[in-house]
Amino acid sequence: MIKITLKDGSVREVQKGSSVLDVAKSISEGLARSIVAAQVNEEVVDLSYVLNEDVNLNLLKFEDEAGKETFRHTSAHILAQAIKRLYKDAKLAIGPAIDNGFYYDIDLDYKITAQDLEKIEAEMKKIVKEDLQIERFDLPRDEAIKLMSEQNEDYKVELISELPEGEIISFYKQGEFVDLCRGPHLPSTKKVKAIKLLSVAGAYWRGSEKNKMLQRIYGTSFEKAKELEEYLNMLEEAKKRDHRKLGKELGLFTIIDEGPGFPFFLPKGMELKNELLRFWRDIHRKANYVEVETPMILSRHLWETSGHWHHYRENMYALKIDEEDFAIKPMNCPGGMLVYKTDMHSYRDFPMRVAELGRVHRHELSGALHGLMRVRAFTQDDAHIFMLPEQIKDEIKGVAKLIDEVYKTFGFKYHVELSTRPENSMGSDEEWEVAENGLKEALEELNLPYKLNEGDGAFYGPKIDFHLQDCIGRTWQCGTIQLDMQLPQKFDLTYIGKDGEKHRPVMIHRVAFGSIERFIGILTEHFAGKFPLWLSPVQVKILPISDKYMDYANKVKDIMFEKGIRVEIDDRAEKIGYKIREAQLEKVPYMLIVGEKEVENSEVSVRSRDKGELGSIAVDKFIETVLEEIKNKTMH
């Protein structure tokens, strides 16, 4: 007999050689039917996995992250099998599970269309109904190459050939279909009942422009049809909110052929961006940050010291100046290190909170570019905080409170994840213990629940990530707090301690928005372009009924402009109904209609984007209401 410790801490004794599924059945048949995979001592395995020693066992359902991944990995195999049935000449590349779905890359001369996706999906549903058992088998490297060569799967042969000799290679078989795969998988195809193919796109083999362009078929799958329907409804809603479409309609930004991945912000987009930056500066001034600006281009020597030249070179834009190598900065941190070194520091200077709205450039593949969400140039709202080891906890709490205030201002909910020491880390056990404990204690003292990602930290230190949730349920990783034990060492940062000796400071990197541009994209989709008053590029639009009332309209505009309200007049010779409709399409928060009655009474007739007709109000009273709403950053 062997001992199985379950997630709730209970221990069961089972016969040595029992499978994971046997253990589940011994608990309950219902449980056995509902699980999709399991974790044995943290490793995700098939339900057929045989237990031969005492282990920790976590039975995974679809709602578990690793359960979803297994479910969708099997869905990708069903997709590949359907493709091979319908297109015999197709060569398979890779087919992983991804967030919210899966994809498979294929090499096929025939171009897959939207109509073809329906045909492939129908074949997938047939495979599901066939209830094909999914079985794993292993082969030595040479035999694995032979098997894939016989099937003309050139991409699989390439992948296997790169593995060391003597390696045992795993495959999964379902019916006539065999695929190279690490697994794990569902026991059979029958569970994948709710399935939908979404789109087809181009993707370079192994992500390199030097390689062949393949066709990537995207899909998603769920346990229940209702969950799939909800997800597809969310996608439809997301299409309506697409920031690229709204950005064009609202005149916020554009991407031009002469600058792929380099957004052009238009006047209204700059109003929005500048309002965000004003908010950012105000909140940081109150939290006792100083602001710096570091150069956009710095010498190769700096990037060699930081390690970017060797580890990040393919993402950097380099150039020569006076026969010397330079690079446009992809990150602000190395410049921040040089700012620290411009002066001598003592323990009395800490904590030093140094913020920078730094413009960074990173080379992204053209296929990965996506509006403001994935660009080649963006503004990072960075800060580097230098401190003593005993200040870690309080500084982390301060940053977490600041990020909380930022997200709550926009009405975002969020969750927090803490990532700890990875295998390839640098620094001593003592340093990591101090760092990780500082982060954990800070989160616990703030009563911030967090998900623990063991071993998922950066090699230079543990980190806290903030994942915000928008109004249609999507999550975006924006804020992050990273403790760094590497850069202070690489740049030989020191301070004079109480003992008169030199010591190395502790440093954290942190962002709240992350990328200002990406955050604008997220806000645009979250609000569907209906920005709250304080953020709106145009806050008030004055609509004169005819030219007779233009002088009064201009007088009202001037008064509001002087008060700092972003105001425009629609002075076109159009009917008032048309002007109202146009202002509504522009999603302006307030429309002021002015005609004879308004002129006589020094009033404006107010129409709210969100509340409809509000009636006639004295100009001064309206301005007072608007200024109060802007000051309070009201979110409706």
Side-chain angles (χ1 to χ4, degrees), residues 509-533:
H509 312 251
R510 48 109 293 199
V511 292
F513 291 142
S515 148
I516 304 289
E517 287 71 12
R518 182 168 171 265
F519 199 76
I520 287 171
I522 294 167
L523 285 178
T524 304
E525 297 195 0
H526 177 64
F527 292 118
K530 292 182 178 182
F531 298 107
L533 180 72

Side-chain angles (χ1 to χ4, degrees), residues 265-281 357 516 520 534-535 566:
F265 272 82
L266 305 176
K268 286 179 180 172
M270 279 310 297
E271 290 285 8
L272 172 57
K273 189 174 185 180
N274 285 334
E275 193 59 54
L276 277 176
L277 297 186
R278 273 192 286 275
F279 167 68
W280 184 92
R281 286 195 163 102
L357 289 163
I516 304 289
I520 287 171
W534 70 278
L535 270 182
R566 296 189 286 276

Side-chain angles (χ1 to χ4, degrees), residues 619-636:
V619 174
D620 290 351
K621 181 72 180 164
F622 174 73
I623 289 172
E624 192 183 304
T625 305
V626 166
L627 290 175
E628 188 67 19
E629 201 177 316
I630 291 169
K631 182 185 166 191
N632 293 334
K633 296 186 168 52
T634 309
M635 292 313 291
H636 61 72

